[in-house]
Each structure stands twice: as C-alpha cells, then as structure tokens.
Amino acid sequence: MMKKIVLLYCILCVWACSGEQKKLYQDPSVSVDRRVDDLLKRMTLEEKVAELCLLPYYENKDSSLREMVRQGKVGAFLKANGAVLNRSLQEEAMKYSRLGIPLMFHEDVIHGYRTITPIPLAESCSWDPDMVERSSAMAATEAAAAGIQLTYAPMVDVSTDPRWGRIMETSGEDAFLGGEMAKARVRGFQGMDLKANNTIMACVKHFAGYAALLGGRDYQNTDFSLRDLQEIYLKPFQAAIDAGVGSVMCSYTSYNGVPLTMNRFMNHDILRQQMGFKGLLMTDWNTFNHALTEGAAIDGKDAVTRGVKSGMEMDMSSGQINRHLVQLVKDRVISEKLVDEAAAHALKVKFQVGLFDDPYRYFDADREQKVLLSEESKAIAWEMATKSMVLLKNEAEVLPLAKGKRIALVGPFATNRNDLLGSWSMMGRAEEVVNVQEGMSEIWPEEGVMTLGCRLDGVSEKYIRSAVALARQADIIVACIGETSYQIGEGVTTAKIELPQEQVELLKQLRNTGKQVVTVLFNGRPLVLNEVLEHSDALLEAWYPGTMGGKAVASVLCGEVNPSGKLTQTFPRHSGQVPITYNFRRTFYYVHHTDIPEGPQFPFGFGLSYSKYEYSDLKAEKDSLKLEEPVIVTLKIKNVGKRTGREVVQLYVRDEVASIIPRERELKGFQMVELAAGEEKVVRFELSPAAFMLLDAQMQEVLEPGVFRIMVGPNSADTQSVKVVYIAE
Ligand code: GLC
C-alpha cells in the first residue's frame, strides 16, 4: 500500500513540474471572476495594457497588424470579418501569446449582418420587442458564424432632430420605448448563453447624450442639463445594463464640457456607481485623438492619463494607450491598479464568450457558408420589415390593392436595391436585395405590374413623361420614392428634411392622370410630407426595409400583411418646428408657429391599419394610488374592420401637478393586441408606482401626492383618460 502512495506522489510531482497541469484560469469549471484574477496575477504590465488595445483591421495592413499580434500588442480587432481570416489571426495570437490569451473580434452589427433587417428606427416602429429580439438574434447568429463575438449595438441615443443623420440608428424620441427596444436587442444578441456559437456580446452606445446636438450637426458638443441626462439619456442605458449588456461605448461628445472619453463623473460616478455597470467600457473611434483636435487635451499622454483615471478602459483605434500607458504606470502617473481593473474587464468579456475554452469556436467556415443569408434569416428579415412599416394615409381604402388591377409601378425606388439596405448595412449586398418590382411580381401575375424605375438622380422631366404615359395604361399607380441612404447615417446632417422637388413633381403629374396614387416612402428619418400627402391617396412609410424590403412592401400593399407599425418619431409639418415631440414639458401658453398649421404632421405613436379599432370602457380598478400597490387599468378594444389586425395599445401618464413642471404626457406602457374582424378583447395594464414618480429638485426619485391622468389610445394625441389620486400615507 505504502509503495502505491509513494508511486502516486511521484507521478503527481512529475506531472506538476511538467507544467502540464491546467492553470486555474484555464479551467472552465472555475468562475469567470476567479479565472480573471488568476490570469491577471500571471500577466506583465505590457500584457495587461495590450488587452486595452482595440485595433481596426485593414487588409492592406495585414502583415503589420499580424506583427503587432505576434508582439502581444493587440487585445481585439474591429472590422476583421470572416471565419477564415479571423481563425488565421487567432492562430497568430495563440501561437505567440505566452499565456494563451485569445483575440476577440468586434463589428457594427446594427440591423443585421449579411441578411439586413430594417434600420433600427424602423424596427422600433413595430413596437414589438419580441420581434426585435428575434431580429437581433438572427443577426447574432450570422455574425457569430462569421467570426464576430461582440457588436457595437444597441445604439440607444434619444433624438428629436431629423436633421441628424444618425436618427436612423435610434429607437425614436421616447426614452421608455427606447429602453424596451434596448432590452430586446441585448436579449437577442446575447441570448441565454454567451458561449454559444450563435450569440454575441452587445455593446450599448453612445454613453451618453450624443443626440443632444445643436442644429442636428453630428459630433457637435452640446450642453444639456443633469435633468435631461437623468430623465432621458440615461434611461435606455439603464435598461440595457439591467438586461445584462456586457459592454458600453462612450460618445464622441461631452457632458458638462468634459469629453466623455475622460469624464470621471460619467464613467465612474454615474456608470459604475449609480447605474451599477460591471462590464467593459470602451471609447468610440479614435476619441483620444479627438480630444487633442478639439483642444480638450494637451497631448496623447494627457488624454490617456485623464481617460484612464476617469475609468475609460479600452482604446478603439487611437493607439494612444498602446503608446503611453506602460510608461505612465512606470512613471507612477497612473496606478497599475487602474490598469488591472480595466484589463480585468477586457479579459472578462473574452471568458464570457468562451474564447478561453475554445479560441476557435467562432471560426467554422462551413458553418458560416450555411448560416449567412439562410432561408430562416430571410424569413425573419421579411417579418421584421412588414411589422416596421407604418400606414400614414389610406383614403377611400385604396389599400390593400385589389387583385386583377393593372398596376403602374414607378419612381426611383421601384427597382432600387442598394438603398433599401440603409446605412450601417455591414455585410449586406445590394445584389441580394429583393426590390419592390420583384416583390410585387411574386404576388401579382407578370401582366399585372408594369414597371418603370429610374436612378435616384434620374427623375428627369423625360422620365416623368414616360412614367405618366405608363400610368395612363394602368388602373392604379404605385409610386416608390424616397431619399438616398447616403443622405443619412454617421457624419451626415442636412438642413432640409424634404424630398427632392423632382419627386414631388413626379407625384403631382401622376395624380393629374386622375388615377389613384399609392405612395411608398423609403427614408431613414421623419420628413416634411405636406406635398407628398397632397398628391397621394395612400402613403406607406417603408423606411429602409432591408434585404427582404421589396417583398415586405408587396406583402403589405396586397393585404397579405395588415400594417401595424406606429411612428416612434413625431413627423413635423415644417423643419422650422424641430424639435417637436409629444412629451414636451408643459408651459402656461402654447405658442405655435403662426405661418403654418399648428401641431405635427403625424404625432408620436401614429399609424393606421386596414382594420378599425374601437376603444371603450377604460377604467382604473381603484381611483387611489398606494405606494406598495400596482395600479390596474383595463379597457376594451374591438376590431370593427373586415380583417384580422394587430393594434398597439399605448398607455400614457400625465401628472397634473408636481414640484417639477410635468411633461405633457409620458409613455408608460404598451401592448400589441391581435384581433380578428369583429373580435373584442379586454386589455389590462398593471402600472407600478414607479410610473407615477419623478426626479425632484434634488434629483431624488419621489412619488408626490396629487392627481394623475392615465391616458390610453392608438397614439399619443388620441387618448381617453381616467383619473387616479395619490394621497401620501
Ligand atoms: C463610429 C461610430 C460608432 C461605431 C464605431 C465603430 O464612428 O460612432 O457608433 O460603432 O465608430 O465603427
């Protein structure tokens, strides 16, 4: 017996000395936090700093970037795509990394990866978090199959300015709805298991207040109040953090005059202490260098010192952390403890997505081939697109189009492919887009659709004459118009928010034929539509609907899908009204612009259906509110139309009197209700006391005694209300 014990002991010693035993950080059965701690203790300062370096991949810099990987200077890449390329980069890292630390690969998977879904603003108009979650999950499946483990989404900036090109990336003007969409996207991207090869880590951005721009000018530093920050801009971030988002990206802009890249109040006091975020914080593109350009830092050293001390962790593309951080620590300008905390967060996300257990999990070229642009992906993209579209006008129920009608399909979006993808359409390919002509032809027999498309810059007088001539041969006209997707997106701001005049002229002349005109609009933001509406019997807002956009448009126009989308951005009558929202803070006298009709063209939450819905019998279970009890509100909704439809029932709360001037009303809940023709349902809302709370003058969340109106309806301007009172106990 003794001999056996001695023999076993010797074997163990030999084994232990051979270094073959798993190090703790390499043991998947150990918690992520313990594995991170164990690995961190083994790392040099240089290796820790490398984890904070996020580099863009460029094919023409492949060899120099590989050299940096071999030298252990890269933590992660963005813009490196594809299982083959990313596997080869990972092989470099695993071959040269002393501790076997894998690379991670990030990308902007904003609304789809290869199969492109509608732009985020469009998706938000579905008011359908489950659908948005499925759309994000599909994007994650495709991106993960192509070697990506983290996406720079959801973007949760809250904008009220259609002049800002990035409004297309938002989920509308309401922070509550934006929060619901943020949660849906985080759930969709991250799924239930971040280590699965069909999920990716989300990165909520741009922290925070990016959309508070002057004149809609992108990147424009602005000053906004702490109240705006707390009441509006932070809300969707908190929703994403509560949903478990793994990373945050800061904004290009500033808060209280300090760039967010180096803003201790924001990056530490707010993000970590107030909001409880425990994941990785990264800069946006090159923002350490932007601080130099805008005179907010003396040099790279200054920017890195203030940035890292503020709690900023990963440096996207500026190279300043790579250049200065090791020396700054050696010179005791920056404590190594700060580097440890940052490196721990950068390592944690790699453990969370499973890269330490299998560095090649996401690099299967055969799987990539099968997964991208699959029939399943396309079906989800089509469904998302149909649910994002908003019916804005339907005179004499010209829609849905009756079968057997001869249709003239005209306009610059009749055969357009590329612009249906919208901005931030990652790996989407124009040639894979189903355009409107193809979508319509699938549903109508060939002879039913006569098509004459044109380029976006081709709406000439000659083209208009030809389109009118074709229209005269048809029973009804479908005019597909809109703005180029290059007119929207990052770094783009326009003074005008109208369509090109030649497109209005086209509509006008088509209408002069005396035929009914169904207009389909392709755009990425609210536009001024007075003249478009004047010359259209029906108007469908299709946004930039993605790869399956043309098929989705056809499905809605023919009635296969009953439109249920509702606007999440107010549409102004004139650009001079901007900003114009539904939830403005009340005042004692509303002064409207005297030179145009008052109010918006279309209010927040507006959208028509092929059915009609009647709201009735709204009541609150109790007319008094208690701190610990939810408020129960019920109402009836009946489909008095002729076809099954889905209606987004919206619930707003108005605080009649408060120590802080109340807003006009605020969205506090919504429900999607499906009703067959003639069917009536009872809809029940359960409101927590939080729905009636406000931030008082000391920015403390309080429930003040007083009268509240609970308003329910099909949009923010058309509601019935019931009163509840809170009497302090
Ligand atoms: C861009 C954007 C950001 C994006 C990043 C990486 O400039 O501001 O939203 O994720 O750079 O492409």
Side-chain angles (χ1 to χ4, degrees), residues 78-79 107-108 110 151-153 155 166 169 205-206 210 218-219 249-250 252 283-286 290 316 424 490:
L78 69 150
K79 305 300 169 192
E107 184 50 279
D108 288 288
I110 309 298
T151 177
Y152 302 137
M155 186 265 217
R166 299 197 77 166
E169 291 178 69
K205 69 186 184 183
H206 304 84
Y210 183 8
D218 199 5
Y219 309 136
M249 181 193 294
C250 82
Y252 281 123
T283 74
D284 197 340
W285 186 279
N286 204 30
H290 294 159
M316 182 192 294
W424 292 105
E490 182 174 355

Side-chain angles (χ1 to χ4, degrees), residues 390-394 521 529 533 538-541 567 571 602 606-608:
V390 185
L391 184 60
L392 296 176
K393 181 177 182 180
N394 193 18
L521 185 60
L529 297 172
L533 287 160
L539 177 59
L540 177 68
E541 172 59 84
L567 294 178
F571 274 48
F602 296 110
F606 180 85
L608 301 175

